[in-house]
Amino acid sequence: QRQSQGKSAPNSPSRQIESTYHRKVRTCLQELRAVTETWEDLVLLDGLKSLKKLVDTRTDLDNELAQTPNRLPREHIVAPKLAIMDECLANLDAVISKLQKQFRRLNSLVETLETVLVEAHKAKGWQWVHEEPLWVTWSLEKFVVSTADIVVPYHRALNFHIKIVDTLRSHSTPFEESKNALRQWVAQPWLQEDGWEAIWEDICEAEVESMTL
């Protein structure tokens, strides 16, 4: 059984001479990281801003209507608030569209890694891709198979965000339901344990040389 090599092992051939496959894997991992960072910005900056504004505006409208006597016209109260809420929903739809784009990019990068594996297998042989450590202990095959696992949590997270936006699309959504949707949007439960930061930052730190952006 092959012993794990420390990151400072001096005599690993793959450490001394980097092939095009090393460079392609590192580049794909860097781009995967960039995709997930963009994802976080979309969710926690752009999306959260619009979501909070939507919930706050809806709450303000409910409060103002509750304080307005029924005999008085309400259009001057409702119309401006509805315009703001519709703008927030349009912004959230744009965020979802951008998340879908990032998810497609993530899928594409995983497919690129699979292509690298096929190419390396043809050029270097079975043992090189299955057993030879690419940098430290992980083989090329292990990198490719493991990165494919990241697609599932991001797909679930994408569908989760779509569901949240659809839940809040109705202006009659109860306040507690809106607050819960806001909490869930921030929490991103599907990514807490299986997202890039939860798993891959440590792996790249331990297993990939020069893993910088």
Side-chain angles (χ1 to χ4, degrees):
Q1 186 177 359
R2 181 183 298 273
Q3 285 187 329
S4 296
Q5 300 179 35
K7 196 165 185 179
S8 60
N11 298 320
S12 168
S14 58
R15 285 177 58 89
Q16 294 172 1
I17 303 174
E18 281 211 346
S19 68
T20 183
Y21 307 112
H22 291 81
R23 291 188 290 273
K24 285 180 178 179
V25 170
R26 183 190 290 112
T27 298
C28 282
L29 290 171
Q30 289 170 336
E31 291 185 19
L32 280 169
R33 175 198 276 165
V35 165
T36 62
E37 288 176 347
T38 299
W39 180 288
E40 290 297 307
D41 287 345
L42 287 168
V43 171
L44 299 179
L45 296 179
D46 301 358
L48 182 58
K49 179 181 178 181
S50 295
L51 205 60
K52 288 178 69 175
K53 189 174 182 180
L54 173 64
V55 173
D56 289 346
T57 303
R58 197 170 280 165
T59 303
D60 290 344
L61 176 59
D62 289 344
N63 291 338
E64 288 187 37
L65 290 176
Q67 296 170 10
T68 303
N70 289 333
R71 66 180 182 277
L72 296 179
R74 299 182 168 203
E75 185 176 347
H76 70 287
I77 298 174
V78 174
K81 300 290 188 186
L82 282 178
I84 294 172
M85 290 187 282
D86 287 342
E87 181 184 5
C88 290
L89 286 168
N91 290 339
L92 285 168
D93 285 336
V95 167
I96 293 297
S97 179
K98 291 174 182 177
L99 288 175
Q100 289 170 328
K101 181 180 179 181
Q102 293 305 311
F103 180 72
R104 289 193 296 271
R105 178 64 180 148
L106 185 146
N107 256 315
S108 175
L109 288 165
V110 169
E111 290 173 359
T112 298
L113 281 168
E114 291 169 351
T115 301
V116 172
L117 178 63
V118 172
E119 292 173 351
H121 187 276
K122 290 178 181 177
K124 296 277 194 176
W126 183 90
Q127 184 172 351
W128 194 87
V129 300
H130 289 266
E131 297 182 3
E132 183 71 25
L134 203 56
W135 285 284
V136 185
T137 65
W138 278 35
S139 66
L140 173 57
E141 182 191 41
K142 185 167 184 178
F143 273 109
V144 174
V145 171
S146 299
T147 50
D149 292 340
I150 204 170
V151 172
V152 173
Y154 279 92
H155 186 243
R156 289 173 175 167
L158 174 60
N159 288 333
F160 190 67
H161 289 306
I162 292 172
K163 183 179 178 181
I164 288 175
V165 173
D166 286 342
T167 296
L168 295 176
R169 206 172 290 283
S170 169
H171 293 318
S172 60
T173 304
F175 175 67
E176 285 303 321
E177 189 173 344
S178 297
K179 275 208 317 184
N180 183 59
L182 190 59
R183 285 193 295 267
Q184 291 296 306
W185 179 277
V186 173
Q188 299 193 86
W190 293 112
L191 302 183
Q192 285 182 355
E193 295 183 1
D194 298 317
W196 174 274
E197 190 171 356
I199 296 176
W200 279 92
E201 281 301 318
D202 288 343
I203 291 173
C204 289
E205 173 68 22
E207 291 288 342
V208 184
E209 288 188 5
S210 304
M211 180 62 181
T212 56
L213 288 175

